């Protein structure tokens, strides 16, 4: 279906029929699921997305833990199915990159590279994929042994050796989680001592499956079709190649994608958007869901659930109800 690019108000645009009930920025797990719910509720729904394979779900090689989808499915295939379901209910998907927004007015303005779109409400679902690929081999072998999520991919490495690069609580927790499956976990820590909180540091130091490489940098991920080893260098310049089947990288963390907001919404210290229990931000009618939030377990099922919650709250907002969150308790 054709999607109209709308005129700016000063150009004679902003007719009632030109305004979407909801514009969803980001059509990944969270955004596409929100679109299922809003389109199903007969709301005029527009989803703006950069591309099928540009987000965390779209680029994931295989997903094996999404309920109702047994076996392994590629992230892109799962996302196509979610988007297809939303489209069948009437949601419009447009491939466009959102550049700026003006969210304060009653009618929200979203500027993409192809035009301007207007909506009564906005859901921000742009995810958290800002990490640049800093280690040679990381990008090439992503999904083929390189991972950023032990909870997601740990089970693929049963009885094998893996490496974890990182030194924060997340890295250490993920390394401990991997000991359930892997034969041996090499924790590559750049500093001379562990920076994780004391209880985690103690647990990881005593774990019989853990080998901690202090003051050691991950230099390169090696392998032809799959990860075969990592090249590491210890302080003082001593290099070593450690054979591993997988490497889990937590060096800079994902950075939530919020550049198009130009500071209109407050973020936490780590750049995550903040919402209330109805998934609404500090601006009325503007919601945020998925990996762009903090305190969030980065899983498809969680992002999808948040998309559904925002869609339901938004329906209540549009019908003028004071209380956006139904009494679920
Ligand atoms: C390698 C890897 C493996 C994973 N494996 C699993 C797994 O096995 N199981 C599991 O449950 N979870 C897994 N995850 C986590 C899961 O993919 C994420 O938690 C989930 O996809 C988050 O959904 P989201 O919609 O918030 O973000 P995303 O899926 O990242 O979607 C965000 C969307 O926003 C779009 N976007 C961003 N900026 C703009 C813009 N300016 N304009 C327009 N569009 C924009 C992107 O193109 C993207 O489509 C994995 C993640 C990674 C990185």
């Amino acid at each position: 279906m054709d999607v109209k690019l709308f005129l700016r108000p000063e150009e004679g645009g902003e007719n009632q029929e030109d305004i979407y009930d909801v514009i969803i920025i980001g059509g990944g797990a969270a955004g596409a699921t929100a679109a299922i719910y809003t389109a199903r509720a007969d709301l005029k729904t527009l989803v703006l997305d950069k591309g099928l394979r540009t987000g965390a779900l779209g680029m994931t090689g295989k997903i094996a833990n999404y309920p109702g989808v047994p076996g392994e499915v590629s992230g892109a295939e799962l996302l196509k199915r979610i988007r297809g379901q939303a489209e069948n209910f009437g949601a419009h998907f447009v491939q466009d990159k959102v550049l700026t927004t003006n969210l304060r007015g009653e009618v929200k303005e979203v500027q993409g590279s192809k035009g301007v779109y207007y909506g009564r409400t906005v859901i921000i679902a742009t995810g958290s994929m800002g990490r640049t690929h800093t280690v040679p081999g990381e990008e090439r072998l992503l999904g083929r042994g390189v991972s950023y999520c032990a909870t997601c991919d740990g089970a693929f490495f049963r009885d094998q050796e893996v490496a974890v690069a990182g030194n924060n609580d997340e890295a250490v927790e993920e390394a401990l989680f991997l000991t359930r499956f892997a034969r041996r976990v090499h924790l590559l820590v750049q500093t001379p001592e562990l920076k994780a909180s004391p209880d985690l540091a103690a647990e990881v130091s005593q774990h019989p499956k853990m080998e901690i490489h202090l003051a050691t940098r991950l230099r390169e991920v090696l392998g032809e079709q799959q990860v075969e080893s990592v090249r590491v260098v210890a302080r003082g310049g001593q290099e070593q190649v450690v054979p591993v089947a997988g490497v889990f990288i937590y060096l800079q963390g994902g950075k939530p994608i919020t550049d198009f907001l130009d500071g209109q919404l407050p973020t936490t210290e780590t750049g995550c958007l903040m919402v209330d229990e109805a998934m609404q931000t500090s601006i009325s009618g503007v919601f945020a869901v998925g990996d762009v939030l903090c305190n969030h377990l980065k899983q498809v099922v969680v992002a999808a659930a948040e998309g559904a919650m925002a869609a339901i709250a938004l329906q209540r907002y549009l019908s003028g109800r004071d209380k956006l969150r139904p009494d679920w308790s």
Side-chain angles (χ1 to χ4, degrees), residues 25-31 48-52 54-60 62-65 79 83 96-98 125-129 142 147-149 152-153 257 259-260 289-292 296 298-301 303:
I25 307 176
L48 300 170
D49 193 276
K50 286 192 293 192
L52 178 70
T54 51
L57 179 54
M59 62 177 281
T60 296
K62 42 192 173 182
I63 302 275
N65 60 357
L79 188 50
R83 289 186 182 184
D96 198 357
K97 179 177 178 180
V98 172
T126 38
S128 170
M129 283 295 295
L142 183 59
S147 173
Y148 307 123
C149 174
C152 314
D153 298 330
I257 303 172
D259 49 344
F260 55 89
V289 289
D291 284 2
V292 78
H296 172 97
K298 287 185 177 161
Q299 289 289 281
V300 181
V301 70

Side-chain angles (χ1 to χ4, degrees), residues 51-166:
L52 178 70
R53 291 172 196 277
T54 51
L57 179 54
M59 62 177 281
T60 296
K62 42 192 173 182
I63 302 275
N65 60 357
Y66 193 74
V69 184
E72 287 173 13
V73 62
S74 75
E77 174 55 31
L78 179 60
L79 188 50
K80 259 199 233 166
R81 290 190 208 172
I82 302 174
R83 289 186 182 184
Q85 202 175 347
E87 278 173 325
N88 286 341
F89 288 137
H92 307 317
F93 282 74
V94 170
Q95 190 168 339
D96 198 357
K97 179 177 178 180
V98 172
L99 305 172
T100 59
T101 47
N102 185 355
L103 302 174
R104 292 223 166 78
E106 218 168 280
V107 174
K108 323 286 180 202
E109 190 177 316
V110 177
Q111 167 86 59
S113 55
K114 292 181 181 166
V116 188
Y117 312 86
Y118 295 100
R120 284 179 228 289
T121 60
V122 166
I123 298 180
I124 298 161
T126 38
S128 170
M129 283 295 295
R131 184 176 186 275
T132 49
H133 300 283
T134 54
V135 181
E138 176 183 342
E139 190 168 8
R140 185 172 58 82
L141 293 166
L142 183 59
R144 291 190 276 154
V146 172
S147 173
Y148 307 123
C149 174
T151 317
C152 314
D153 298 330
F156 295 122
F157 298 95
R158 207 173 283 278
D159 297 326
Q160 304 187 63
E161 296 209 14
V162 297
V164 174

